[in-house]
Amino acid sequence: MTDTIFIKGVVIHARHGVMEHETEVGQRFVIDLELFTDLSESSRSDRLADTVSYSNVVATATAAFKDTNYKLLERAAGAVADAILAAFPRIRAVKVTVHKPHAPIAAIFEDVGVVLTRNRHPS
């Protein structure tokens, strides 16, 4: 059985992109996370120690996203997924969606981004 914790709409200002002005000025990104884990214990115990702290996940994701400037969204999303899996052993898999609503595209569009799903590798 796999349950899901979701965190949607985390807004982060960062300097990712290929264009020079993107790395100088930066822009707004929005991150959505889905964390796949077993919540059976915490759903009975009502103890934070039996689940994953949403606050700690957001802090980990934010640091991984902002600490390095990447050219590609794919790499930035991968850094978030890697950091979450490394920091939270209870999480079996993570789905990271990164929205870049102000991407420098010569078109009128609502949103653009990437979605990555990463599974924990058995040790």
Side-chain angles (χ1 to χ4, degrees):
M1 171 194 312
T2 298
D3 302 311
T4 306
I5 294 170
F6 67 89
I7 302 169
K8 293 187 176 190
V10 179
V11 177
I12 301 172
H13 185 270
R15 299 171 188 269
H16 305 306
V18 176
M19 311 284 284
E20 186 176 331
H21 71 275
E22 292 180 293
T23 59
E24 287 178 8
V25 177
Q27 62 190 288
R28 181 175 69 104
F29 295 85
V30 181
I31 297 177
D32 301 328
L33 303 168
E34 290 183 55
L35 315 170
F36 302 96
T37 187
D38 183 354
L39 298 176
S40 57
E41 191 175 349
S42 60
S43 69
R44 288 190 293 275
S45 73
D46 199 29
R47 294 179 344 132
L48 181 58
D50 295 332
T51 190
V52 176
S53 165
Y54 311 159
S55 177
N56 291 349
V57 168
V58 170
T60 298
T62 299
F65 195 77
K66 288 182 73 167
D67 284 354
T68 303
N69 295 346
Y70 299 109
K71 290 184 172 83
L72 301 179
L73 282 187
E74 293 84 345
R75 180 62 191 107
V80 171
D82 292 345
I84 289 172
L85 289 175
F88 303 97
R90 289 182 178 271
I91 297 174
R92 295 179 182 164
V94 60
K95 180 178 176 183
V96 179
T97 303
V98 178
H99 305 265
K100 188 174 180 179
H102 303 292
I105 299 172
I108 297 172
F109 63 95
E110 184 176 322
D111 198 6
V112 66
V114 298
V115 180
L116 296 183
T117 302
R118 296 294 180 261
N119 296 301
R120 179 175 303 287
H121 297 293
S123 19

